[in-house]
């Protein structure tokens, strides 16, 4: 048996350490080894589960790896189930093309040894950790990007970080080509990113099933993020205000639409009502409506006002967050279509299968930018996509 297949077999048997793969050529060889082994063992090609990350791993990343290994979304609510992976692959690559020059590429947390330790415990078999030079060789300038029409102008996150989604869609497409997984797993924590990757993969006919895992949170509700290490202790104490505000708003919006998930309803109650004087509420409502229409881009839809219900919810979220002194600018509060990621003026306009609406916030606390979202309507970690797309995976003859 060839070298990589032997190493992989030993890793899968728990007799060897995880395989660290640095180059595209090695990754291709390891991928062939996955199929060689699966053919021998099961008489079919391998089911390869893949979780792309930028490292500095936390329990959010690990939950995706758990789901990828077992093949089920383990939130007890979703009916979506993927096949268990024969081989679990994670990537660690801090992708320079998704960082703007003003962003934190050089100081992005890097915790390689700890990451390996955590990956070992999840049963990951292979970690693909290419260098930037391997992914973007300077000798042959990189000229091919995956760009989604309208995403930079059409979504507030795209507008706030021009080029970010292009960088993400490009690197993930390239990682998909290198790893050739059957299933890939992303976190709802980055909800619009999930929609973008789903869309780019569908549009380009990428034969990989994409799954979304729920957002893993600290006990006080703060969404786990590699960037949380930037927070001072006072900022860390204030940071859960985002999720509390989102939960309060989601609970009251969902009360008029679909049943509220117990966990959200509870957190919403705990956070209590926000006390906003009428003048502040009015000013915030106007800001919310203005920034919303600015975010919608050109065309007839640009002038479509947010429904009063959403204006009120957005204003309340802004006020709740602003009431924490540590917070700076609330960059946006947006309601997006769970299927397209485009901002919505009314919840009923969602085109998602289950009417899912993604309520997202980006807010600055000190120099750190925090992002969070919840799904209103639909199942919380289900953005309203069909169970699988495309309805086949490599090697299964479906
Ligand atoms: P990153 O390393 O931040 O690029 O994230 C890698 C993957 O982990 C992405 O699919 C993220 O959406 C996901 N992720 C990040 N934070 C969380 C979290 N708190 N819960 C679940 N998934 C997460």
């Amino acid at each position: 048996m060839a070298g990589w297949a032997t190493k992989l077999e030993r890793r899968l048997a728990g007799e060897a350490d995880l395989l660290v793969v640095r180059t595209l050529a090695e990754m291709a060889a390891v991928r062939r080894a996955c199929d060689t082994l699966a053919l021998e063992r099961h008489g079919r090609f391998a089911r390869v589960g893949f979780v792309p990350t930028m490292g500095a791993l936390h329990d959010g990343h690990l939950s995706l790896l758990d789901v990828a290994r077992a093949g089920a979304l383990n939130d007890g609510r979703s009916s979506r189930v993927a096949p268990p992976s024969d081989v679990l692959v994670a990537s660690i690559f801090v992708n320079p093309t998704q960082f703007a020059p003003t962003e934190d590429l050089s100081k992005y947390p890097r915790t390689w040894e700890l990451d390996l330790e955590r990956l070992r415990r999840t049963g990951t078999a292979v970690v693909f950790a290419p260098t930037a030079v391997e992914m973007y060789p300077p000798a042959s300038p990189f000229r091919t990007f995956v760009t989604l029409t309208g995403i930079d102008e059409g979504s507030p996150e795209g507008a706030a970080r021009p080029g970010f989604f292009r960088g993400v869609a490009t690197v993930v497409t390239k990682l998909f080509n290198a790893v050739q997984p059957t299933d890939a797993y992303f976190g709802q924590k980055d909800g619009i990113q999930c929609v973008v990757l789903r869309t780019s993969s569908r549009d380009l006919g990428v034969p990989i099933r994409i799954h979304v895992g729920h957002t893993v949170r600290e006990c006080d509700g703060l969404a786990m993020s590699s960037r949380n290490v930037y927070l001072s202790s006072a900022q860390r104490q204030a940071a859960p205000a985002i999720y509390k505000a989102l939960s309060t708003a989601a609970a009251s919006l969902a009360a008029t639409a679909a049943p509220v998930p117990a966990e959200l309803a509870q957190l919403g109650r705990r956070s209590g009502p926000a006390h906003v004087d009428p003048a502040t509420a009015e000013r915030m409502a106007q800001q919310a409506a203005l920034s919303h229409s600015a975010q919608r881009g050109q065309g007839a839809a640009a002038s479509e006002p947010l429904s009063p219900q959403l204006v009120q919810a957005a204003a309340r979220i802004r006020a709740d967050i602003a009431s924490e002194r540590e917070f700076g600018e609330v960059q946006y509060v947006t309601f997006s279509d769970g299927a397209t990621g485009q901002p919505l003026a009314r919840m009923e306009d969602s085109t998602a299968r289950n009417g899912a609406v993604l309520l997202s916030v980006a807010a600055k606390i000190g120099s750190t930018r925090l992002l969070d979202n919840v799904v209103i309507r639909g199942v919380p970690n289900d953005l309203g996509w069909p169970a699988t797309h495309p309805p086949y995976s490599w090697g299964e003859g479906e």
Side-chain angles (χ1 to χ4, degrees):
M1 204 185 289
W4 282 114
T6 309
K7 286 184 196 164
L8 187 62
E9 187 170 36
R10 294 195 56 231
R11 172 63 189 155
L12 294 178
E15 293 162 5
D17 198 359
L18 51 82
L19 275 55
V20 177
V21 174
R22 294 286 186 184
T23 67
L24 294 166
E26 280 177 352
M27 190 60 235
V30 171
R31 184 61 184 84
R32 283 193 296 276
C34 296
D35 280 337
T36 305
L37 277 185
L39 282 164
E40 275 180 17
R41 290 178 175 191
H42 313 295
R44 56 164 175 74
F45 291 109
R47 290 177 182 146
V48 176
F50 179 42
V51 178
T53 80
M54 298 206 299
L57 301 182
H58 51 66
D59 286 354
H61 298 114
L62 302 190
S63 82
L64 292 178
L65 286 155
D66 281 347
V67 172
R69 191 192 56 245
L73 297 173
N74 60 356
D75 67 345
R77 289 187 289 256
S78 176
S79 56
R80 195 140 20 113
V81 174
S85 303
D86 299 320
V87 181
L88 184 53
V89 181
S91 64
I92 295 183
F93 180 59
V94 183
N95 173 40
T97 65
Q98 70 192 64
F99 286 77
T102 50
E103 290 181 343
D104 58 343
L105 173 62
S106 62
K107 71 171 182 131
Y108 193 83
R110 289 165 172 86
T111 56
W112 175 249
E113 289 300 332
L114 267 175
D115 289 352
L116 291 187
E117 201 40 55
R118 306 198 90 185
L119 289 175
R120 283 183 189 109
R121 291 205 297 266
T122 59
T124 302
V126 179
V127 54
F128 180 46
T131 59
V133 169
E134 178 71 11
M135 293 293 272
Y136 305 106
S140 52
F142 197 83
R143 293 165 54 199
T144 309
F145 289 91
V146 177
T147 309
L148 274 76
T149 314
I151 198 72
D152 280 350
E153 323 82 67
S155 80
E157 185 60 15
R161 302 182 71 187
F164 169 72
F165 286 126
R166 178 177 99 141
V168 169
T170 302
V171 79
V172 168
T173 303
K174 189 154 177 161
L175 290 168
F176 279 178
N177 284 336
V179 175
Q180 298 185 14
T182 47
D183 295 84
Y185 298 79
F186 297 90
Q188 188 207 303
K189 161 77 170 57
D190 302 288
I192 301 296
Q193 174 174 289
C194 293
V195 176
V196 163
L197 294 173
R198 188 79 179 187
T199 306
S200 60
S201 296
R202 185 197 60 212
D203 289 354
L204 298 175
V206 175
I208 295 169
R209 287 178 291 230
I210 292 182
H211 309 273
V212 178
H214 67 271
T215 301
V216 177
R217 301 179 178 282
E218 305 287 357
C219 299
D220 55 11
L222 175 65
M224 290 191 183
S225 162
S226 306
R227 289 186 166 102
N228 289 351
V229 296
Y230 298 153
L231 300 176
S232 70
S233 74
Q235 291 168 346
R236 172 64 190 81
Q237 271 196 308
I242 295 188
Y243 183 57
K244 284 188 185 152
L246 282 173
S247 305
T248 307
S252 65
L253 288 169
T256 60
V260 187
E263 159 210 327
L264 280 188
Q266 220 184 351
L267 204 71
R269 272 198 296 277
R270 248 183 285 151
S271 65
H275 299 291
V276 188
D277 66 82
T280 310
E282 176 62 21
R283 185 173 45 76
M284 288 182 152
Q286 280 170 4
Q287 273 171 359
L290 277 175
S291 70
H292 174 81
S293 53
Q295 286 150 10
R296 292 187 65 87
Q298 284 106 44
S303 55
E304 198 182 332
L306 269 187
S307 71
Q309 183 192 31
L310 298 192
V311 167
Q312 210 180 13
R316 183 170 171 180
I317 291 168
R318 284 176 178 274
D320 280 359
I321 296 173
S323 71
E324 281 288 347
R325 247 193 284 154
E326 293 291 330
F327 273 96
E329 184 197 2
V330 178
Q331 293 184 328
Y332 61 76
V333 176
T334 312
F335 303 85
S336 315
D337 188 319
T340 65
Q342 296 296 308
L344 290 175
R346 291 172 312 182
M347 298 235 292
E348 310 77 82
D349 293 346
S350 169
T351 62
R353 170 176 57 92
N354 57 2
V357 173
L358 198 63
L359 167 53
S360 321
V361 165
K364 289 291 282 280
I365 184 162
S367 56
T368 306
R369 187 169 178 268
L370 296 180
L371 278 189
D372 203 350
N373 69 73
V374 294
V375 175
I376 324 170
R377 294 187 162 190
V379 186
N381 71 334
D382 180 346
L383 297 180
W385 297 327
T388 61
H389 175 84
Y392 58 87
S393 69
W394 290 350
E396 289 184 286
E398 292 168 4

